[in-house]
Amino acid sequence: MNQADSQRIQTILEELGWEETSMDQANLVVLNTCSVRKAPEEKAHNQLALLKQAKAKRSDLLVALMGCMIGNQKTIDELSRRYPHIDLFMKVEQADILPRFLEERWTPISGAGCLDIEYMPNETEPSSKPEHLEPVSPTFATSTITFGKRTVLPMAITPKPGERTAHYPTKIEQVSPTAWLPVILGCNKVCTYCIVPYRRGRERSRPVDELVTEARSLVTKGAKELTLLGQTVEAYGLDLPDKPDLAYLMSQLSVIDGLERIRFMTSYPRHMTNSMIERMANLPKVCEHLNIPVQSGDDNVLKRMKRGYTLDEYREKIRRVRELWPGITLSTDIIVGFCGETEEEFQHTLDLLNEIRFDVVHVAAYSVRPGTVAARWEDDVPLAEKKRRLHAVEELEATIAHEINEQYLGKIEEVLVEEDNTSHGRRQWKGRNRANKLVFFPQPEQENSIHPGDLVKVQIERTTPWSLQGCMVGI
Ligand code: SAM
């Protein structure tokens, strides 16, 4: 989701005539932050400290902070006390404020001792510049922030009635064959460990026609595969007037010529109805992969996490998905070391992994997120123990994934080529099969016969827990 957001900010800036550059060269730094775990937030704090030093040397540097670190007014006040060098606090949905902010705050200065930069919004705009000066675009660096005289925007987390329609910056230049399409923003769940609802607000779906228009535009620019994004993607449409669901949205996207594949993530176990699964499974462009976070294999832990389902309900959902959607592959998210997690409770998570046999497991050690319900509880599993549990999950999953992937040996897979992956002088291509497995294959003898965005047939010759390798056998 954050990558998709950064990509959109980048496009807005490029359309305003700004060019990307390194942090130390930039006139504007946009720091896009993630708060889901402690580690990425600490990284953002480090960057903010570095930017403080940079700004002390270059007072015309603008710094903008966006993303999950921006919560309510209290959080903004705390951040601005700690980092007075932040010029702009901006939620991603407020990206349309950037042009106004830059208009007000960006003062192009040229001359000795100053930055030799002219702001050229677009080529057709009448210019008052002296003729002898060549236009030089101002530069920006996106990382995970933006600032000047501080501009604090209204930060209503929940849109007022009548303002429910999600706004999201839609213009984007596409060069890669795979693109993100955020379809629902925010999250209505109240998992006790999670900061997302406090930072991204309540669920807001983007209207079907807006998404179809954006999808067409992405395909025109070269996208062959779209991943529909949301924290709980199956909640798509519940807040829209006609209640279109995710499967309906997919059917509308499926008719776009040139769009080959549709993916979606992440799923919340309770929202996926049988009807939705059946309709998705019947759409040929929708790929057979489901990311369905379970978080723990123990009912007591799930209760403390306030996940809203029991393990039996989760098992039943997986059974139905596998029955109604042949060939589907599954990935999940697990948190280890949540408050009070005993050794026995943790063992239940390993048991569940052995039982379900996911293709991929994303595992994280629990980290306290201030402001969440669980932050009031004792974080009583020591760090070393969390790490041990995390490695135990990784080790078990490596064995399971290895066994699953071995079943691909000798099979011919349809691969969407994503990029050149030449390493150590050996030219090879990287892509994914429909089941979301990474596939690598060497450049066929005929030079320039493959391009990103091609759909090719690859026969699998070797496997690891994380990827498949083979040879191209056809187009
Ligand atoms: N919406 C999905 C769901 O059903 O939970 C997942 C989205 S969440 C933003 C991404 C993942 O981050 C979660 O699945 C969880 O495993 C992890 N996560 C969230 N909060 C965490 C915390 N406090 N500590 C460790 N991991 C966390």
Side-chain angles (χ1 to χ4, degrees), residues 35-38 187 191 193-196 230-232 266-269 291-295 307 309 333-335 362-369 372:
S35 294
V36 154
R37 286 186 290 276
K38 202 172 169 191
C187 181
C191 304
Y193 54 83
C194 191
I195 192 75
V196 168
Q231 298 294 337
T232 51
T266 54
S267 299
Y268 177 70
N291 177 277
I292 185 158
V294 64
Q295 310 298 4
R307 285 292 288 173
Y309 52 82
D333 294 1
I334 296 281
I335 297 176
H362 308 282
V363 55
Y366 169 63
S367 63
V368 182
R369 305 289 59 225
T372 59

Side-chain angles (χ1 to χ4, degrees), residues 339-460:
C339 305
E341 187 188 64
T342 63
E343 179 58 27
E344 192 186 359
E345 288 169 341
F346 170 64
Q347 285 301 326
H348 291 160
T349 295
L350 296 182
D351 294 344
L352 185 81
L353 299 186
N354 271 317
E355 177 190 330
I356 308 257
R357 294 174 67 78
F358 295 98
D359 292 78
V360 174
V361 173
H362 308 282
V363 55
Y366 169 63
S367 63
V368 182
R369 305 289 59 225
T372 59
V373 172
R376 292 186 236 134
W377 305 339
E378 195 185 346
D379 178 22
D380 53 358
V381 180
L383 186 59
E385 180 56 21
K386 284 181 186 167
K387 283 188 181 162
R388 187 193 68 78
R389 293 180 189 181
L390 188 134
H391 290 142
V393 168
E394 285 177 341
E395 219 169 280
L396 172 61
E397 180 52 27
T399 310
I400 294 170
H402 187 66
E403 287 165 10
I404 294 176
N405 286 355
E406 271 183 337
Q407 294 165 18
Y408 284 89
L409 282 171
K411 290 199 175 148
I412 294 176
E413 293 294 302
E414 181 201 81
V415 174
L416 175 67
V417 180
E418 289 178 14
E419 60 184 16
D420 187 335
N421 192 255
T422 300
S423 68
H424 305 298
R426 187 163 167 265
R427 186 142 193 232
Q428 64 169 6
W429 291 95
K430 177 180 147 193
R432 279 176 199 271
N433 71 355
R434 288 182 57 96
N436 208 33
K437 305 268 175 196
L438 265 178
V439 181
F440 296 92
F441 62 98
Q443 166 73 24
E445 277 177 15
Q446 204 187 338
E447 271 300 313
N448 298 327
S449 54
I450 309 256
H451 302 96
D454 287 349
L455 278 173
V456 299
K457 299 266 186 281
V458 175
Q459 182 153 35
I460 306 305

Side-chain angles (χ1 to χ4, degrees), residues 145-299:
I145 297 192
T146 312
F147 323 81
K149 249 181 286 162
R150 189 163 318 118
T151 307
V152 178
L153 303 165
M155 285 292 153
I157 278 274
T158 305
K160 293 190 189 85
E163 291 175 6
R164 295 279 308 161
T165 308
H167 171 76
Y168 201 83
T170 52
K171 288 181 184 156
I172 179 158
E173 281 306 320
Q174 178 59 39
V175 282
S176 153
T178 58
W180 310 110
L181 186 62
V183 300
I184 175 166
L185 317 173
C187 181
N188 284 5
K189 305 290 164 296
V190 281
C191 304
T192 51
Y193 54 83
C194 191
I195 192 75
V196 168
Y198 305 98
R199 297 299 164 84
R200 287 193 175 253
R202 293 183 67 75
E203 287 163 1
R204 286 97 69 211
S205 305
R206 300 176 61 200
V208 173
D209 53 353
E210 177 184 308
L211 291 167
V212 172
T213 305
E214 183 169 332
R216 280 190 198 285
S217 150
L218 289 167
V219 171
T220 310
K221 289 166 184 163
K224 294 281 167 58
E225 173 183 300
L226 295 179
T227 301
L228 315 189
L229 290 179
Q231 298 294 337
T232 51
V233 73
E234 290 87 3
Y236 175 76
L238 291 175
D239 58 325
L240 289 177
D242 297 335
K243 306 221 179 318
D245 69 10
L246 187 66
Y248 174 78
L249 172 65
M250 287 171 168
S251 70
Q252 301 302 295
L253 296 173
S254 280
V255 298
I256 298 176
D257 279 341
L259 176 62
E260 305 284 354
R261 290 177 170 186
I262 300 172
R263 299 190 186 279
F264 60 108
M265 64 187 271
T266 54
S267 299
Y268 177 70
R270 274 179 58 185
H271 284 314
M272 239 198 175
T273 62
N274 289 348
S275 147
M276 218 190 265
I277 301 167
E278 276 174 322
R279 283 177 293 136
M280 287 180 190
N282 281 324
L283 290 169
K285 291 186 182 178
V286 179
C287 292
E288 300 78 18
H289 178 71
L290 182 64
N291 177 277
I292 185 158
V294 64
Q295 310 298 4
S296 167
D298 185 274
D299 271 327

